[in-house]
Amino acid sequence: MELDYIENVNGLGENIFRLFDFNKAEAILFRDLLKEMIIEKKQKLDLSQIDFINTTNYNLIFGLFKSDEGILTKDKETFFCILTIEGFIKMINFLEPFCKKESKGYTYLYDIDNPTDLLFSPYAS
């Protein structure tokens, strides 16, 4: 699984993080990590610490917050995806189809009015 970031993807100041290049087994591992670390243990999930995720140029850390804010950064190297428990439960539900069978589809992992989206796609597009 790869993580990358595209700044100003459409010329309108919108950005996109992509989690891509994965199979069903990695989708299951990712979903299970979110469930365990965020939902059950209420801890942060630092993607740079996950063996099967390549975070070469950027890091994304998932964590709980009192409101759904999406992805934020101060330095454009370390990013934080901050959501409520309910927001992470929705994210896990968005992951489910990729955990049931190999897929060529894609989904956005949250629907928040934020300039940075989070795309989950087995392929880079």
Side-chain angles (χ1 to χ4, degrees):
M1 186 176 286
E2 301 282 331
L3 174 73
D4 74 355
Y5 173 70
I6 304 169
E7 190 171 10
N8 198 16
V9 69
N10 59 3
L12 301 173
E14 296 177 339
N15 314 302
I16 193 163
F17 254 102
R18 298 184 302 175
L19 278 166
F20 67 98
D21 192 21
F22 60 86
N23 58 27
K24 175 182 157 188
E26 289 177 325
I28 291 169
L29 287 171
F30 182 65
R31 178 204 60 199
D32 291 350
L33 273 171
L34 283 173
K35 282 182 182 177
E36 178 185 353
M37 297 301 293
I38 305 287
I39 305 298
E40 295 169 12
K41 294 183 178 178
K42 297 182 178 30
Q43 296 178 355
K44 292 179 182 174
L45 177 60
D46 183 342
L47 296 190
S48 70
Q49 303 300 310
I50 309 304
D51 291 340
F52 66 90
I53 300 177
N54 181 2
T55 60
T56 306
N57 297 318
Y58 302 98
N59 189 27
L60 184 59
I61 300 169
F62 291 87
L64 290 171
F65 200 64
K66 63 184 187 269
S67 60
D68 289 325
E69 300 296 328
I71 296 176
L72 306 171
T73 186
K74 289 184 180 179
D75 62 10
K76 296 191 180 186
E77 290 179 15
T78 301
F79 294 80
F80 297 89
C81 180
I82 51 178
L83 303 171
T84 60
I85 286 273
E86 293 78 18
F88 279 108
I89 290 170
K90 286 180 187 176
M91 182 180 287
I92 289 166
N93 289 333
F94 288 138
L95 295 170
E96 286 302 328
F98 300 91
C99 299
K100 292 181 179 169
K101 66 177 186 170
E102 297 294 340
S103 175
K104 293 182 180 177
Y106 65 90
T107 191
Y108 289 95
L109 294 182
Y110 61 70
D111 184 19
I112 299 170
D113 187 15
N114 177 304
T116 305
D117 288 322
L118 180 56
L119 179 70
F120 193 73
S121 174
Y123 302 95
S125 55

